[in-house]
Amino acid sequence: MNRKELLQKAGMAVAVSGILSTLSAEDHDHSTMASSSAGKSKYSKAMMAAMHCQLSAEVCLSHCLTELGKGDKSLAACATSTREVISLCESFVKLASQSSAYTKKLANLCIEVCEACAKECDKHANHHAVCKECRDSCLACVKELKKV
């Protein structure tokens, strides 16, 4: 693992850890509060998976762009699929955090895009650790989104 990959993974770990803290804080007991906050944790696991997927896709996209800059055009489709995942996972988290009526519909589209990205990243997983991580996080996201 080179220095750049180490820094990317460390940054992702810090971001995910902050996300986990925030979401787990929602789960503590607010029995004295009004029930309006009850829906906030309804999609917590799916939101965490989507955020992790988005972060992994960001790292993968950065790697793909670096390689494309070096002339490796084999990662062009991977870059495209990660951009789509980034957009949809971010949108899912925003709608789910609002308990939107469209959350399930967007979750289904997000599943489709994450599955396509996982398939694309799988082509490069043996040669690029970031593609393997992105594939794995996409598959984990799909698993959680199917529960929505």
Side-chain angles (χ1 to χ4, degrees):
M1 178 183 317
N2 64 33
R3 184 172 184 241
K4 182 178 177 183
E5 287 175 335
L6 177 65
L7 290 173
Q8 287 173 333
K9 288 185 185 248
M12 187 184 324
V14 168
V16 169
S17 143
I19 290 164
L20 293 174
S21 306
T22 301
L23 289 174
S24 66
E26 291 180 354
D27 291 333
H28 69 272
D29 187 15
H30 286 283
S31 57
T32 61
M33 295 181 70
S35 63
S36 64
S37 66
K40 287 185 180 179
S41 64
K42 180 177 181 181
Y43 302 114
S44 290
K45 287 184 180 182
M47 288 171 36
M48 287 191 314
M51 284 187 267
H52 182 262
C53 188
Q54 180 185 353
L55 290 171
S56 295
E58 291 277 5
V59 172
C60 189
L61 175 59
S62 177
H63 173 74
C64 289
L65 293 175
T66 299
E67 294 302 310
L68 284 165
K70 293 177 185 176
D72 182 358
K73 296 188 187 305
S74 68
L75 294 169
C78 193
T80 299
S81 67
T82 55
R83 280 194 331 236
E84 293 168 343
V85 163
I86 292 164
S87 296
L88 279 168
C89 284
E90 180 180 11
S91 297
F92 172 79
V93 169
K94 287 179 180 180
L95 285 183
S97 68
Q98 300 167 30
S99 294
S100 168
Y102 300 101
T103 301
K104 176 119 176 99
K105 285 184 180 182
L106 187 57
N108 288 329
L109 181 56
C110 202
I111 288 168
E112 187 178 335
V113 171
C114 285
E115 287 175 337
C117 186
K119 185 176 179 181
E120 188 58 43
C121 283
D122 192 52
K123 296 175 185 177
H124 312 285
N126 291 333
H127 305 292
H128 303 279
V130 292
C131 290
K132 181 183 183 305
E133 171 63 26
C134 187
R135 177 203 62 198
D136 294 347
S137 67
C138 280
L139 294 175
C141 187
V142 165
K143 183 178 176 182
E144 287 302 321
L145 289 173
K146 285 183 176 181
K147 298 175 186 176
V148 170

